PDB file of all heavy atoms in Angstrom:
ATOM      1  N   GLY B 177      52.556   9.070 -18.165  1.00  0.00           N
ATOM      2  CA  GLY B 177      52.634   7.747 -17.545  1.00  0.00           C
ATOM      3  C   GLY B 177      53.716   6.851 -18.139  1.00  0.00           C
ATOM      4  O   GLY B 177      53.962   5.760 -17.633  1.00  0.00           O
ATOM      5  N   ARG B 178      54.405   7.274 -19.173  1.00  0.00           N
ATOM      6  CA  ARG B 178      55.487   6.480 -19.770  1.00  0.00           C
ATOM      7  C   ARG B 178      56.785   6.751 -18.981  1.00  0.00           C
ATOM      8  O   ARG B 178      56.868   7.731 -18.226  1.00  0.00           O
ATOM      9  CB  ARG B 178      55.646   6.802 -21.264  1.00  0.00           C
ATOM     10  CG  ARG B 178      54.367   6.696 -22.096  1.00  0.00           C
ATOM     11  CD  ARG B 178      53.599   5.412 -21.871  1.00  0.00           C
ATOM     12  NE  ARG B 178      54.378   4.237 -22.203  1.00  0.00           N
ATOM     13  CZ  ARG B 178      54.175   3.019 -21.699  1.00  0.00           C
ATOM     14  NH1 ARG B 178      53.222   2.817 -20.813  1.00  0.00           N
ATOM     15  NH2 ARG B 178      54.926   2.020 -22.073  1.00  0.00           N
ATOM     16  N   PRO B 179      57.821   5.894 -19.179  1.00  0.00           N
ATOM     17  CA  PRO B 179      58.978   5.958 -18.273  1.00  0.00           C
ATOM     18  C   PRO B 179      59.781   7.269 -18.260  1.00  0.00           C
ATOM     19  O   PRO B 179      60.414   7.574 -17.253  1.00  0.00           O
ATOM     20  CB  PRO B 179      59.866   4.793 -18.735  1.00  0.00           C
ATOM     21  CG  PRO B 179      59.166   4.088 -19.823  1.00  0.00           C
ATOM     22  CD  PRO B 179      57.850   4.725 -20.091  1.00  0.00           C
ATOM     23  N   ALA B 180      59.753   8.051 -19.336  1.00  0.00           N
ATOM     24  CA  ALA B 180      60.527   9.301 -19.296  1.00  0.00           C
ATOM     25  C   ALA B 180      59.625  10.512 -19.079  1.00  0.00           C
ATOM     26  O   ALA B 180      60.053  11.658 -19.255  1.00  0.00           O
ATOM     27  CB  ALA B 180      61.333   9.463 -20.589  1.00  0.00           C
ATOM     28  N   TYR B 181      58.396  10.268 -18.661  1.00  0.00           N
ATOM     29  CA  TYR B 181      57.446  11.375 -18.472  1.00  0.00           C
ATOM     30  C   TYR B 181      57.777  12.190 -17.226  1.00  0.00           C
ATOM     31  O   TYR B 181      58.067  11.627 -16.169  1.00  0.00           O
ATOM     32  CB  TYR B 181      56.018  10.821 -18.363  1.00  0.00           C
ATOM     33  CG  TYR B 181      54.972  11.900 -18.192  1.00  0.00           C
ATOM     34  CD1 TYR B 181      54.683  12.775 -19.227  1.00  0.00           C
ATOM     35  CD2 TYR B 181      54.278  12.034 -16.987  1.00  0.00           C
ATOM     36  CE1 TYR B 181      53.727  13.764 -19.076  1.00  0.00           C
ATOM     37  CE2 TYR B 181      53.313  13.025 -16.827  1.00  0.00           C
ATOM     38  CZ  TYR B 181      53.042  13.889 -17.877  1.00  0.00           C
ATOM     39  OH  TYR B 181      52.106  14.867 -17.731  1.00  0.00           O
ATOM     40  N   VAL B 182      57.709  13.485 -17.366  1.00  0.00           N
ATOM     41  CA  VAL B 182      57.819  14.385 -16.212  1.00  0.00           C
ATOM     42  C   VAL B 182      56.657  15.376 -16.319  1.00  0.00           C
ATOM     43  O   VAL B 182      56.517  16.048 -17.346  1.00  0.00           O
ATOM     44  CB  VAL B 182      59.168  15.154 -16.206  1.00  0.00           C
ATOM     45  CG1 VAL B 182      59.219  16.141 -15.046  1.00  0.00           C
ATOM     46  CG2 VAL B 182      60.350  14.190 -16.144  1.00  0.00           C
ATOM     47  N   PRO B 183      55.801  15.442 -15.293  1.00  0.00           N
ATOM     48  CA  PRO B 183      54.672  16.385 -15.388  1.00  0.00           C
ATOM     49  C   PRO B 183      55.158  17.827 -15.366  1.00  0.00           C
ATOM     50  O   PRO B 183      56.254  18.114 -14.897  1.00  0.00           O
ATOM     51  CB  PRO B 183      53.827  16.069 -14.150  1.00  0.00           C
ATOM     52  CG  PRO B 183      54.721  15.320 -13.231  1.00  0.00           C
ATOM     53  CD  PRO B 183      55.816  14.697 -14.042  1.00  0.00           C
ATOM     54  N   LYS B 184      54.326  18.716 -15.878  1.00  0.00           N
ATOM     55  CA  LYS B 184      54.679  20.135 -15.855  1.00  0.00           C
ATOM     56  C   LYS B 184      54.377  20.706 -14.473  1.00  0.00           C
ATOM     57  O   LYS B 184      53.583  20.159 -13.717  1.00  0.00           O
ATOM     58  CB  LYS B 184      53.824  20.894 -16.877  1.00  0.00           C
ATOM     59  CG  LYS B 184      54.247  20.667 -18.294  1.00  0.00           C
ATOM     60  CD  LYS B 184      53.783  21.831 -19.171  1.00  0.00           C
ATOM     61  CE  LYS B 184      53.824  21.441 -20.623  1.00  0.00           C
ATOM     62  NZ  LYS B 184      52.613  20.724 -21.042  1.00  0.00           N
ATOM     63  N   GLN B 185      54.969  21.861 -14.231  1.00  0.00           N
ATOM     64  CA  GLN B 185      54.633  22.571 -13.006  1.00  0.00           C
ATOM     65  C   GLN B 185      53.155  22.940 -13.059  1.00  0.00           C
ATOM     66  O   GLN B 185      52.636  23.278 -14.112  1.00  0.00           O
ATOM     67  CB  GLN B 185      55.481  23.840 -12.924  1.00  0.00           C
ATOM     68  CG  GLN B 185      55.492  24.430 -11.545  1.00  0.00           C
ATOM     69  CD  GLN B 185      55.883  25.904 -11.604  1.00  0.00           C
ATOM     70  OE1 GLN B 185      55.519  26.653 -12.514  1.00  0.00           O
ATOM     71  NE2 GLN B 185      56.641  26.314 -10.627  1.00  0.00           N
ATOM     72  N   ARG B 186      52.516  22.840 -11.913  1.00  0.00           N
ATOM     73  CA  ARG B 186      51.064  23.053 -11.938  1.00  0.00           C
ATOM     74  C   ARG B 186      50.663  24.518 -12.009  1.00  0.00           C
ATOM     75  O   ARG B 186      51.153  25.341 -11.250  1.00  0.00           O
ATOM     76  CB  ARG B 186      50.452  22.452 -10.674  1.00  0.00           C
ATOM     77  CG  ARG B 186      50.498  20.970 -10.756  1.00  0.00           C
ATOM     78  CD  ARG B 186      49.531  20.355  -9.820  1.00  0.00           C
ATOM     79  NE  ARG B 186      49.832  18.935  -9.774  1.00  0.00           N
ATOM     80  CZ  ARG B 186      49.302  18.109  -8.912  1.00  0.00           C
ATOM     81  NH1 ARG B 186      48.451  18.559  -8.014  1.00  0.00           N
ATOM     82  NH2 ARG B 186      49.606  16.840  -8.949  1.00  0.00           N
ATOM     83  N   LEU B 187      49.742  24.770 -12.909  1.00  0.00           N
ATOM     84  CA  LEU B 187      49.107  26.083 -13.017  1.00  0.00           C
ATOM     85  C   LEU B 187      47.614  25.793 -12.890  1.00  0.00           C
ATOM     86  O   LEU B 187      47.036  25.140 -13.754  1.00  0.00           O
ATOM     87  CB  LEU B 187      49.424  26.692 -14.395  1.00  0.00           C
ATOM     88  CG  LEU B 187      48.708  27.982 -14.762  1.00  0.00           C
ATOM     89  CD1 LEU B 187      49.213  29.147 -13.911  1.00  0.00           C
ATOM     90  CD2 LEU B 187      48.913  28.310 -16.237  1.00  0.00           C
ATOM     91  N   PRO B 188      46.990  26.226 -11.779  1.00  0.00           N
ATOM     92  CA  PRO B 188      45.565  25.904 -11.614  1.00  0.00           C
ATOM     93  C   PRO B 188      44.733  26.457 -12.781  1.00  0.00           C
ATOM     94  O   PRO B 188      45.013  27.547 -13.288  1.00  0.00           O
ATOM     95  CB  PRO B 188      45.190  26.582 -10.299  1.00  0.00           C
ATOM     96  CG  PRO B 188      46.484  26.780  -9.581  1.00  0.00           C
ATOM     97  CD  PRO B 188      47.536  26.961 -10.632  1.00  0.00           C
ATOM     98  N   LEU B 189      43.742  25.695 -13.165  1.00  0.00           N
ATOM     99  CA  LEU B 189      42.874  26.050 -14.291  1.00  0.00           C
ATOM    100  C   LEU B 189      42.312  27.465 -14.138  1.00  0.00           C
ATOM    101  O   LEU B 189      42.306  28.251 -15.088  1.00  0.00           O
ATOM    102  CB  LEU B 189      41.732  25.021 -14.336  1.00  0.00           C
ATOM    103  CG  LEU B 189      41.059  24.706 -15.649  1.00  0.00           C
ATOM    104  CD1 LEU B 189      42.063  24.415 -16.746  1.00  0.00           C
ATOM    105  CD2 LEU B 189      40.119  23.499 -15.469  1.00  0.00           C
TER     106      LEU B 189
END
Side-chain angles (χ1 to χ4, degrees):
R178 307 311 300 156
Y181 181 69
V182 177
K184 285 203 197 84
Q185 196 201 37
R186 288 200 191 170
L187 173 70
L189 208 49

